[in-house]
């Protein structure tokens, strides 16, 4: 439903409520979460609550969570900002660093929430095509002169990585803030976190929603120079991480690393098998370093709704830059992949 209340901000007339297909589906491989579930120690922490600590507010900026994230990331706690998911961090960062009327630049295709968060903050999205080798184009991005530049690597929805060279070149040339979204860094075993430690205009954004298996708790974080993350926190506001989310996230960071590492291995193996089986169907999936595969398919929305009727939810994209129509499939346990591939094969046969 598109609403256009006259008294709302003018820019909101171009924005509608975020809609996802929410009818339950037997096999849901649509959202890149951890399909093996949530980490055991964190789950125990949530079920063994005996005090009533949640009668009171959490700490304003989640100081215990910051300490645990700082140990995990190998940086000082003053270099960390937290949020209600990394979506909250991205939204807050755009607001913190761009005035209404400024621009945010990014290569397409990329994370669909970025133009939405831009509009919500009165900021204009400016797009630049990715290179033919699925890399970012640092000169074109820097050449926009945008106040904020966003890079997602591994990139959602392509799964491809930006090269280290291109990111370094971008950081050297950009006049504004560079946001590096590393939601899938654990699967790639590669990170540009070090750039945020030597350059005070680089903000690395991460999440506990993907490899950590805690999407429902809504915990995200940013790493950057203390002065930079402080602006993100001002923009974000206090009390955004709930008492229970902070407790479970701290436990996961301190006690679930073995489980998470094992599931990352599982996801990468599953991804490679999935890509192989898609190629066996005559399809050409993009080279992914994340926990999902993007595969170009003619009439992707039609194929996805046929698959849904067969009990499998995937994410369909229409007319993606450089790709066209495509399906994004999250890598998960073998039985889920078997069912997803059967549904895909049948849907393609009927198309
Ligand atoms: C899933 C995802 C996020 C994370 O969202 P949360 O709000 O932390 O759940 C951020 N960026 C990208 C590119 C993603 O795919």
């Amino acid at each position: 439903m598109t609403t256009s209340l006259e008294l709302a901000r003018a820019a909101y007339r171009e924005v509608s409520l975020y809609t996802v297909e929410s009818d339950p589906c037997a096999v849901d491989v649509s959202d890149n979460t951890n399909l093996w579930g949530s980490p055991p120690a964190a789950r125990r922490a949530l079920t063994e609550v005996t005090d009533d600590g949640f009668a009171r507010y959490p700490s304003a900026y989640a100081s215990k969570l910051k300490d645990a994230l700082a140990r995990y990331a190998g940086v000082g706690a003053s270099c960390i900002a937290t949020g209600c998911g990394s979506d909250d961090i991205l939204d807050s960062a755009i607001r913190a660093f761009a005035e209404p009327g400024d621009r945010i630049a990014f290569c397409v295709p990329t994370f669909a929430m970025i133009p939405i968060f831009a509009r919500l903050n009165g900021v204009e999205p400016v797009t630049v095509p990715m290179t033919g080798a699925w890399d970012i184009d640092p000169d074109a991005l820097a050449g926009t002169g945008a106040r904020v530049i966003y890079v997602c690597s591994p990139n959602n929805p392509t799964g491809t990585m930006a090269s280290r060279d291109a990111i370094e070149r971008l950081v050297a040339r950009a006049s504004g803030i560079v946001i590096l979204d590393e939601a899938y860094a654990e699967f790639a075993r590669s990170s540009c976190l070090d750039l945020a430690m030597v350059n005070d205009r680089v903000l690395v954004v991460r999440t506990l929603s993907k490899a950590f298996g805690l999407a429902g708790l809504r915990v995200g974080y940013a790493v950057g120079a203390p002065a930079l993350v402080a602006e993100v926190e001002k923009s974000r506001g206090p009390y955004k991480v709930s008492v229970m989310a902070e407790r479970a996230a701290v436990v996961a960071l301190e006690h679930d690393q073995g489980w998470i590492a094992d599931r990352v291995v599982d996801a990468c193996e599953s991804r490679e098998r999935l890509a192989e089986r898609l190629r066996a169907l005559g399809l050409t999936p993009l080279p992914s370093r994340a926990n999902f595969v993007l595969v170009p398919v003619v009439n992707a929305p039609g194929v996805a709704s046929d698959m849904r009727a067969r009990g499998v939810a995937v994410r369909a994209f229409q007319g993606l830059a450089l790709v066209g129509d495509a399906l994004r499939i999250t890598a998960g346990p073998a039985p889920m992949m078997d069912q997803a591939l059967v549904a895909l094969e049948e849907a393609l046969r009927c198309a």
Side-chain angles (χ1 to χ4, degrees):
M1 181 180 64
T2 309
T3 54
S4 53
L5 181 71
E6 258 177 56
L7 294 173
R9 286 169 73 138
Y12 282 34
R13 277 166 216 152
E14 292 165 48
V15 177
S16 30
L17 289 170
Y18 186 70
T19 49
V20 283
E21 182 80 68
S22 55
D23 292 346
C25 199
V27 175
D28 185 345
V29 292
S30 69
D31 66 4
N32 302 343
T33 50
N34 189 326
L35 299 181
W36 284 266
S38 52
R43 211 165 54 225
R44 270 197 306 279
L46 287 168
T47 53
E48 289 170 0
V49 175
T50 51
D51 64 302
D52 73 342
F54 35 82
R56 308 298 299 266
Y57 285 102
S59 79
Y61 295 99
S63 52
K64 288 193 178 114
L65 175 59
K66 272 198 214 184
D67 290 339
L69 286 165
R71 283 190 292 275
Y72 174 71
V75 302
S78 63
C79 298
I80 304 269
T82 62
C84 176
S86 56
D87 279 3
D88 189 24
I89 298 273
L90 293 167
D91 176 43
S92 301
I94 292 170
R95 188 163 54 248
F97 302 122
E99 304 279 358
D102 280 341
R103 291 171 305 153
I104 178 170
F106 47 89
C107 281
V108 284
T110 195
F111 191 35
M113 292 306 294
I114 297 305
I116 298 174
F117 290 136
R119 297 247 179 254
L120 293 179
N121 289 296
V123 173
E124 189 195 337
V126 177
T127 65
V128 164
M130 292 179 97
T131 72
W134 308 114
D135 205 351
I136 59 163
D137 183 338
D139 295 347
L141 283 172
T144 63
R147 185 81 167 247
V148 178
I149 293 174
Y150 170 85
V151 174
C152 185
S153 181
N155 184 41
N156 182 3
T158 59
T160 54
M161 290 285 283
S163 68
R164 173 85 188 193
D165 281 356
I167 292 173
E168 284 183 0
R169 187 173 171 92
L170 172 64
V171 169
R173 300 197 155 202
S175 53
I177 301 287
V178 176
I179 298 177
L180 299 177
D181 188 336
E182 294 195 340
Y184 302 98
E186 288 87 354
F187 305 103
R189 298 173 206 287
S190 166
S191 170
C192 285
L193 200 73
D194 56 302
L195 294 182
M197 292 296 92
V198 296
N199 189 313
D200 62 7
R201 289 180 297 108
V202 175
L203 187 76
V204 169
V205 177
R206 295 221 187 134
T207 180
L208 302 197
S209 295
K210 305 289 159 58
F212 276 72
L214 295 172
L217 287 183
R218 312 303 301 124
V219 178
Y221 63 105
V223 183
L228 195 68
V229 299
E231 295 304 315
V232 175
E233 288 195 326
K234 280 190 212 169
S235 168
R236 189 209 75 164
Y239 309 127
K240 290 298 175 73
V241 179
S242 76
V243 168
M244 294 308 287
E246 180 171 21
R247 281 192 200 175
V250 167
V251 170
L253 285 157
E254 289 177 350
H255 301 288
D256 281 320
Q257 290 309 318
W259 184 91
I260 291 162
D262 290 347
R263 297 298 82 75
V264 165
V265 170
D266 291 343
C268 292
E269 286 175 5
S270 169
R271 175 193 72 207
E272 291 311 307
R273 266 200 306 279
L274 172 61
E276 212 173 282
R277 292 171 75 181
L278 291 168
R279 285 190 291 268
L281 292 178
L283 302 169
T284 49
L286 273 60
S288 173
R289 296 282 302 276
N291 66 334
F292 59 84
V293 171
L294 187 74
V295 60
V297 166
V298 176
N299 183 24
V303 174
S305 75
D306 192 334
M307 289 177 73
R308 180 168 262 280
R310 298 170 197 279
V312 175
V314 296
R315 177 72 188 268
F317 293 90
Q318 206 167 12
L320 280 181
L322 298 182
V323 178
D325 275 20
L327 299 176
R328 194 191 63 199
I329 306 173
T330 309
M336 278 191 183
M337 299 293 93
D338 291 344
Q339 292 175 79
L341 282 153
V342 167
L344 174 62
E345 222 180 324
E346 287 172 357
L348 289 174
R349 204 179 301 137
C350 298

